[in-house]
Amino acid sequence: MSPIRSILAVVLLAAFVVPPGPAVAVAAVTPGPVCDRQPALNVTAPAGAVTVDAAVPGDLYRRTQESPPGTTFWLPPGTHKLAADPFGQVIPKDGNVYLGAPGAVLDGQGINRAAFTQQAKDVVIRGLTIQNFVAPQDQGVVNHDSGEHWIIENTTVQNNKGAGIMAGARQEVRNSCLRNNGQYGMNAYRADSTITALIVEGNEISGNNTDDWETRSPGCGCSGGIKFWVVDKADIRGNWIHHNHGAGLWADTDNNDFLIEHNLIEDNEAEALFYEISYNLVFRDNVLRRNSLVAGKRRAEKGDNFPVASVYLSESGGERRVPGRTYLIDIYDNVFENNWSGITAWENADRFCNSPANTSINTCTKLVADRTQCSAPGIASPPLYDDCRWKTQLVMVHDNTFRFDPARVGCTNGHCGKMALLSNWGTYPSWSPYQGKVIQDAITHDQDNYWFSNAYHGPWKFVAGDTSRILTAEQWQSTPWNQDNCASFDGVMPHC
């Protein structure tokens, strides 16, 4: 990086970064095993609680219907069942609390589609195991209809079809086990795009997408540990996210203001984090190990040299006009160990509002209210020229440690071990103002994307502009790319 660009990077950080999180400091949560290690909570029924009879199918539904809002229900040890009907379910009322004693299981019997449904607010679920429900694709078992401010703690949601949990506004999922669900551990989606202030803290999220949805429905973008859609503000802290059959975390379409910190993210078949057509992210103090090995090898076997990464930024960037705790994509103080590759910052020149190449068909950026405005001739001039694109911009990658050993990754064809900042040659549609190398030049030179002060260990390669341009570290640091000022390589101290 040139001295001018180095100074600019510091200025950007100072000007745009607002310390994430609440004013009161939040202690770091240490990620680790949660599944099969839940504390012995709710051993006896609290005073005033309604006791549910495990021997009576549907008793939990009936007692919920008969009791007023704000009732606490205690489920003793044993297997609790709902009516033997696909639509047997529990319909909570505002403020209901559901407490499971050690060994309390709510079992869907392979029959019931959902466990807890409809729009109650302030529901608490604590200490239960919820399993064997058969939610359809894109639907969920717990909080099926995305009620507001549900708190799900010390709960195991496992071996269900669809999503183990759906999310609503101000939902908190803490110290829970979300594992081996057919599609997602959690699906953070509401049709009205009103999910905000989501907290995911201290959980173990593993083995999800057992039904291999990307193979069943190619291009669906419908798999992973957690999928986020149009979520405004999410704190994802202190989780162990591992062995998911797809991405560990996938934020897709107009998400904003994410803080992802202190997580251990490892052995996911695809990306540790896929941040797609979204905004304003702090990703810090995470450890990422052995992610994207399956996806990377699969792509390499087809002769595809796209840099499959552990952190993939796809048409995502900082945007000061979208309110958040930062105006950057700020990635720092993380440790990356033996992932297929490092970080890929990519912008598809053909993907913008109203383009047939935009797979999020009916969506637009947060800067344009009517996507049909993004058409010729208006799109060729400001402000639409800028605002119709999800820009990969204001990306800061700094003070991270990247370790890579090809032997441990199992990569022999040179497709792995890459750091990338690139786009494609714009071709489509015919009226696009972004044809040719317009976006390649923008993402590499004009959109304030900077790597600096990172430490590299191993035979890293660097990709700039397009997939065919493979650079050495020296070339990556030199004109015209000017990246990774003050970086060290294999312990050689940097020159700043």
Side-chain angles (χ1 to χ4, degrees), residues 98-120:
Y98 297 87
L99 304 177
V105 177
L106 182 59
D107 197 300
Q109 314 165 76
I111 298 172
N112 308 118
R113 292 188 174 193
F116 295 91
T117 69
Q118 298 193 23
Q119 294 285 332

Side-chain angles (χ1 to χ4, degrees), residues 392-459:
T392 301
Q393 65 178 1
L394 292 169
V395 174
M396 298 284 163
V397 180
H398 61 102
D399 298 289
N400 302 285
T401 299
F402 297 99
R403 298 190 179 99
F404 174 68
D405 181 348
R408 290 182 177 271
V409 172
C411 173
T412 58
N413 54 21
H415 287 294
C416 57
K418 296 177 180 178
M419 197 72 59
L421 177 64
L422 76 166
S423 179
N424 57 314
W425 187 268
T427 61
Y428 182 76
S430 61
W431 48 268
S432 169
Y434 314 119
Q435 295 191 36
K437 66 172 187 172
V438 168
I439 305 305
Q440 290 180 345
D441 287 344
I443 192 173
T444 52
H445 302 304
D446 303 326
Q447 292 181 182
D448 297 324
N449 299 314
Y450 303 131
W451 274 244
F452 59 96
S453 301
N454 297 295
Y456 295 90
H457 303 270

Side-chain angles (χ1 to χ4, degrees), residues 343-427:
I343 298 171
T344 291
W346 156 263
E347 186 173 332
N348 184 343
D350 299 330
R351 186 181 191 183
F352 53 90
C353 298
N354 213 33
S355 168
N358 178 26
T359 52
S360 299
I361 299 171
N362 294 318
T363 61
C364 196
T365 69
K366 287 183 173 290
L367 306 176
V368 178
D370 179 3
R371 67 180 177 83
T372 62
Q373 291 182 300
C374 297
S375 57
I379 193 172
S381 302
L384 293 176
Y385 180 83
D386 294 300
D387 293 350
C388 288
R389 287 168 46 212
W390 289 276
K391 291 184 179 181
T392 301
Q393 65 178 1
L394 292 169
V395 174
M396 298 284 163
V397 180
H398 61 102
D399 298 289
N400 302 285
T401 299
F402 297 99
R403 298 190 179 99
F404 174 68
D405 181 348
R408 290 182 177 271
V409 172
C411 173
T412 58
N413 54 21
H415 287 294
C416 57
K418 296 177 180 178
M419 197 72 59
L421 177 64
L422 76 166
S423 179
N424 57 314
W425 187 268
T427 61

Side-chain angles (χ1 to χ4, degrees), residues 292-355:
S292 289
L293 302 191
V294 173
K297 290 176 183 177
R298 185 179 296 133
R299 200 154 188 167
E301 287 168 357
K302 298 177 181 178
D304 187 338
N305 67 345
F306 189 85
V308 175
S310 54
V311 172
Y312 182 24
L313 308 174
S314 180
E315 299 85 40
S316 290
E319 175 54 71
R320 71 185 75 183
R321 291 174 292 172
V322 178
R325 292 166 289 179
T326 181
Y327 298 113
L328 302 170
I329 301 283
D330 199 7
I331 301 174
Y332 66 95
D333 287 348
N334 303 287
V335 176
F336 294 73
E337 296 182 344
N338 293 322
N339 302 282
W340 184 260
S341 281
I343 298 171
T344 291
W346 156 263
E347 186 173 332
N348 184 343
D350 299 330
R351 186 181 191 183
F352 53 90
C353 298
N354 213 33
S355 168

Side-chain angles (χ1 to χ4, degrees), residues 5 20 46 49 82 129-130 209 278 326 336 340 426 450:
R5 293 184 76 180
L82 302 173
T129 293
I130 301 168
N209 189 33
S278 294
T326 181
F336 294 73
W340 184 260
Y450 303 131

Side-chain angles (χ1 to χ4, degrees), residues 200 205 223-228 236 239 241 244 246-252 258 260-261 263 265 268 271-275 283 286 310 312:
V200 181
I205 302 161
S223 64
I226 302 181
K227 189 75 183 278
F228 305 87
I236 304 155
N239 304 284
I241 304 166
N244 292 287
L249 300 172
W250 188 346
D252 184 356
F258 274 45
I260 304 175
E261 63 179 355
N263 300 284
I265 312 176
N268 297 287
E271 299 86 353
L273 171 65
F274 188 175
Y275 208 67
F283 186 84
N286 302 286
S310 54
Y312 182 24

